[in-house]
Amino acid sequence: MDGFLPYLLIIIPALAAAVSTGTSILYATLGELVMERAGVLNLGVEGMMMVGCLASFLGCYHTGSPWFGLLCGGVAAMGMSAIHGAVCLFFQGSQVVSGLALTLFGVGVANYLGTPYIQQKVVGFASFNVPVLSSIPVLGPIFFQHDAMVYLSFFIPPLLWFLFMRTRYGLALRSTGENPEAVRAAGISPSAVRWSALMLGGFLVGMGGAYLALASMRMWVDNLVSGRGWIAVALVIFAFWRPGRAVFGVYLFTGVTAYLFRVQALGVGIPSSFLNMLPYLMTLAVLFASSLKGRGSGAPADLGNNLKPGS
């Protein structure tokens, strides 16, 4: 039993790290989930996060306000999402090609415009303990000793669940992803619903990018997102397009990674190169496991299909 004690002692710090490091992926996953529930496949999450990341950094850098920076990041990613909407909803372009182009463009332009600010720091969001709750054994250190963006992320999944399942707009959004013609027959514009989903989802993705610049790093470096956008796209599939499962998937994903990094610190011979590739290996495993249940396991029936002209 004593031999397992060091490993037990790192579980709580690993879980706390999973919550903090998973926050950016969680925001991005929920944003992509909103768009896909409306039937829009957006593979540009990586680029949107990068642009949101840079915009939030610049907003905070020049004003000193992390909240203004967060707003800038969300709005910038919304703008990227609007480009995707224009290509797919207006010009009837391929959603896959548009998303890939958005990623390439977003990563490139963010790295280019961010070059003068490399290694520059911002105030950002500082961690603070939630009174009373942070003193709860086990749960306190895991959930209630973080920054404001982490605490805010706790409310987003239940709010999205309520939006999807308990509001008329949520019903229209889900129905647009399943059968846009039925939505149009009910007197609602599927195009307007998809546009709104792109804006809401884009803002959430931008918040994921903003977290990296304003809370996780609080400085600018190139390629700050580092593949988290692709991981978010995979986790939407793993979650079967449900917000609650998205939370579980994100924390499971980041928790395993954080635990193995801490086990390595104890002297266990895990190669660092393996740990560096672990997130992407787990992403492939997520996609493989999710594919075993097939497309009918939760994917919107009209996902990735453009609306008919006039919708």
Side-chain angles (χ1 to χ4, degrees), residues 253-294:
F253 185 92
T254 55
V256 171
T257 304
Y259 182 77
L260 290 179
F261 270 106
R262 280 161 175 75
V263 167
Q264 185 193 42
L266 294 177
V268 177
I270 302 177
S272 59
S273 56
F274 173 79
L275 293 178
N276 288 332
M277 76 174 187
L278 182 62
Y280 310 102
L281 182 64
M282 291 180 63
T283 300
L284 293 174
V286 162
L287 292 174
F288 175 75
S290 302
S291 68
L292 296 179
K293 289 195 174 184

